[in-house]
Amino acid sequence: LLAEARDISSTFDRFHLGLYVEALIQAGDEDSALPLLRLALQDRSEDSRLNYRMAEIFRKRDNLQEAETYARKAAKLGAKKASLTLANIYFTMGVVLQSSGNRMGADARFQQALSAVDSFTPEYGHDREVADGLASKILCAKGDYDAAALRIMKYADTNNPYTVYEQCRVDLKQSERESACQNDLGAAAKMREAIKRIEQFARQRTLSAQLDELLADLRHKEIALLAGH
């Protein structure tokens, strides 16, 4: 690949390798990008963007230890979004610990994830919404649904399907809490809020497969709640 790149331009050298790696990643060819990224980092180990890219590749492959190492370095070198990558890494670590029954360890990781989110400085218009969506997901995993609602429900007119999904997950968790307290009508009301939220969003945009599946699940659960009352 390096030889091919050099054939394209006689001026191609290792300094430009990072740009080539970026192009491969943007094209979705991370398998080809990874070995070249390693090579680029040999010469530019302090490059914040290259470290960030490496962290993201390892995170997506669930190689969380390697991902954390590169994300921490990227953050130290000034990569703005590295803190969100760290938050996602710590969240996933927390979920793994939670599934194995290690609640204390999971909560510690979730707290690290929240701290990473809160250290993020938004650069563009929707960056804060993305960060709050991630924070809401983490808080739901911790069981703090009211705090999650404070983070995510303020985006009432969002065009982001991920935000809508997280809002509905909060509705669902709050509904399950009401149901556990034997308040089936309150639980159904919360379920109805989530359903309406997705239906309103569907009037503006085609639903993602994730939202479509969630809508079907919510409708099924609403029927079951009302039938049992």
Side-chain angles (χ1 to χ4, degrees):
L1 289 171
L2 183 56
E4 290 176 11
R6 282 176 168 153
D7 285 341
I8 294 171
S9 169
S10 61
T11 62
F12 189 93
D13 56 25
R14 285 193 174 186
F15 179 79
H16 297 99
L17 182 56
L19 297 177
Y20 183 53
V21 168
E22 292 272 357
L24 285 172
I25 292 172
Q26 290 293 333
D29 192 0
E30 292 183 350
D31 288 338
S32 296
L34 184 57
L36 296 180
L37 188 52
R38 291 186 188 278
L39 183 60
L41 279 166
Q42 288 178 14
D43 288 339
R44 298 164 59 190
S45 62
E46 301 302 299
D47 188 307
S48 63
R49 290 175 65 185
L50 295 181
N51 279 281
Y52 169 72
R53 290 298 192 185
M54 187 69 93
E56 276 292 291
I57 288 175
F58 281 127
R59 181 184 70 81
K60 291 173 184 176
R61 296 182 176 199
D62 288 327
N63 189 338
L64 300 180
Q65 298 300 328
E66 289 273 16
E68 181 187 9
T69 298
Y70 283 103
R72 287 172 66 87
K73 185 168 184 179
K76 185 178 179 180
L77 292 169
K80 300 294 185 182
K81 292 187 178 180
S83 55
L84 295 186
T85 297
L86 278 169
N88 274 305
I89 291 166
Y90 293 139
F91 170 75
T92 304
M93 288 177 172
V95 169
V96 171
L97 289 167
Q98 193 177 64
S99 65
S100 68
N102 186 349
R103 184 70 205 189
M104 186 177 296
D107 283 344
R109 287 300 190 184
F110 291 146
Q111 191 55 52
Q112 280 184 294
L114 283 173
S115 296
V117 171
D118 290 338
S119 72
F120 173 65
T121 301
E123 292 183 274
Y124 305 106
H126 296 292
D127 282 356
R128 174 52 61 194
E129 181 177 340
V130 171
D132 282 336
L134 179 52
S136 176
K137 180 171 70 172
I138 297 163
L139 288 163
C140 276
K142 283 172 60 68
D144 194 347
Y145 310 131
D146 294 335
L150 287 174
R151 291 272 192 153
I152 199 67
M153 293 305 183
K154 57 190 172 186
Y155 301 103
D157 299 320
T158 183
N159 291 317
N160 188 333
Y162 173 76
T163 299
V164 174
Y165 181 82
E166 291 302 324
Q167 288 172 335
C168 291
R169 285 187 70 248
V170 172
D171 288 330
L172 177 57
K173 292 297 184 182
Q174 290 178 326
S175 173
E176 290 172 351
R177 183 175 62 188
E178 292 298 320
S179 183
C181 294
Q182 308 300 314
N183 182 7
D184 287 348
L185 288 180
K190 273 292 176 186
M191 204 77 70
R192 173 48 42 184
E193 285 182 33
I195 292 169
K196 285 178 61 179
R197 195 184 310 280
I198 299 177
E199 289 175 341
Q200 288 173 359
F201 188 74
R203 296 189 189 104
Q204 306 167 21
R205 299 182 59 177
T206 301
L207 293 182
S208 64
Q210 189 180 42
L211 275 176
D212 199 39
E213 183 178 335
L214 179 59
L215 179 60
D217 185 50
L218 289 168
R219 284 171 171 164
H220 176 76
K221 287 180 177 178
E222 182 189 36
I223 292 170
L225 278 169
L226 293 174
H229 178 67

